[in-house]
Amino acid sequence: QLKNSPTQKLTNSKTHQLPNSPTHQLINSQTHKLNNSTTHQLKNSPTQKLTNSPTHNPTNSHMDKLKTRILQDGKCYEGGILKVDSFINHQMDPNLMMEVAKEFSQHFGDAHINKIVTIEASGIAPAILVGYIMQLPVVFIKKKEPKTMENMLTSVVHSFTKDRSYTVCISADYLTLNDHVLFIDDFLANGNASMGVIDLCKQAGAHLEGMGFIIEKAFQKGGELLRQHGIRYKALATVESLENCEIKLR
């Protein structure tokens, strides 16, 4: 009788209904939403995305493209001359040039740089793109002395390709002792242009933080010259040899 009493029935009824009560349903609903929300947010959090993102290694991808273009479209001439005027220094591939600029910007991203310097004319395009990416001013060294240039600094540079010497100049208004310079150019061969830049920086009291070249010809003395001077430099493609007019890259 006790088991079948009204009190027992009430207890059983309440106990049975409790899991399906509105309160129970609300708790289950909120807990389910919270678990799903938390899990979803964690999986899609910046940390999770960073962990799952592919490793950024532009040298292996974009610079392989540069090397492919050199082998495919580069032309070799006697005397150690490599012609890349179909995609770098006459007609230009802007997409490739942008990747070149990104590579330089990443490589020298740890350096204290406040100005990009180049020399006319072939270095201007990559230098401007590096300046754009790094949000820094770009100044190019001129190969002719303008009558209107004030506070002129000059140096003599010998061109390997043109086989002649010429005076280059830059205004001391745009190269000062407060400048930390990154120099960008298309080629590193014998290092004559680089030595001219080093000389101009010394005259101005500017700090040369690094040099970036699209192509280095390792069989010429430019790289060794920069290493002897303790200059930090980066070449995106290195030509080991042009013997028998065959382009061999490192």
Side-chain angles (χ1 to χ4, degrees), residues 7-238:
T7 304
Q8 178 65 23
K9 289 180 180 180
L10 180 61
T11 304
N12 287 342
S13 173
K14 293 297 184 183
T15 303
H16 178 73
Q17 292 177 8
L18 182 59
N20 296 314
S21 66
T23 303
H24 180 76
Q25 291 175 0
L26 180 62
I27 292 172
N28 282 342
S29 173
Q30 294 300 325
T31 303
H32 180 72
K33 288 181 180 178
L34 180 60
N35 288 339
N36 286 344
S37 174
T38 304
T39 305
H40 179 74
Q41 288 176 7
L42 181 61
K43 288 182 179 178
N44 295 287
S45 66
T47 305
Q48 179 70 15
K49 288 179 180 177
L50 182 62
T51 303
N52 291 334
S53 63
T55 303
H56 181 63
N57 193 351
T59 303
N60 291 336
S61 56
H62 302 309
M63 295 309 102
D64 282 348
K65 182 179 178 182
L66 170 64
K67 294 174 183 178
T68 299
R69 290 296 298 275
I70 293 171
L71 294 173
Q72 176 182 302
D73 299 326
K75 296 179 181 179
C76 180
Y77 294 87
E78 291 184 3
I81 296 175
L82 175 63
K83 194 173 182 181
V84 289
D85 65 345
S86 66
F87 61 100
I88 287 183
N89 53 18
H90 190 28
Q91 174 176 271
M92 288 173 281
D93 180 339
N95 292 322
L96 179 61
M97 201 66 77
M98 179 59 79
E99 297 303 334
V100 162
K102 288 178 181 177
E103 188 71 15
F104 283 137
S105 301
Q106 183 186 41
H107 182 79
F108 291 104
D110 62 332
H112 177 53
I113 298 166
N114 66 355
K115 185 166 290 183
I116 310 299
V117 172
T118 188
I119 187 166
E120 62 177 359
S122 300
I124 293 176
I128 287 176
L129 292 176
V130 172
Y132 174 77
I133 293 170
M134 300 183 78
Q135 290 296 286
L136 295 174
V138 179
V139 58
F140 66 89
I141 298 166
K142 293 178 176 286
K143 291 182 178 178
K144 292 183 179 180
E145 300 180 34
K147 295 180 179 179
T148 57
M149 183 179 288
E150 298 177 350
N151 304 319
M152 188 184 301
L153 302 174
T154 63
S155 186
V156 177
V157 170
H158 182 79
S159 170
F160 170 77
T161 306
K162 297 178 181 178
D163 192 25
R164 68 181 181 88
S165 297
Y166 49 90
T167 300
V168 297
C169 60
I170 190 171
S171 172
D173 293 340
Y174 306 125
L175 186 64
T176 73
L177 52 83
N178 295 318
D179 286 327
H180 294 259
V181 170
L182 172 60
F183 175 70
I184 299 292
D185 206 1
D186 59 342
F187 270 97
L188 173 60
N190 285 316
N192 294 314
S194 300
M195 291 300 103
V197 173
I198 292 172
D199 180 36
L200 291 172
C201 285
K202 285 182 178 179
Q203 292 181 48
H207 307 273
L208 182 58
E209 300 293 343
M211 292 184 160
F213 305 92
I214 299 176
I215 301 171
E216 175 187 2
K217 292 193 279 187
F219 56 90
Q220 293 176 303
K221 65 181 182 180
E224 181 60 30
L225 197 59
L226 294 185
R227 289 188 289 272
Q228 289 176 359
H229 280 77
I231 303 296
R232 175 186 177 184
Y233 82 93
K234 172 71 173 178
L236 302 185
T238 302

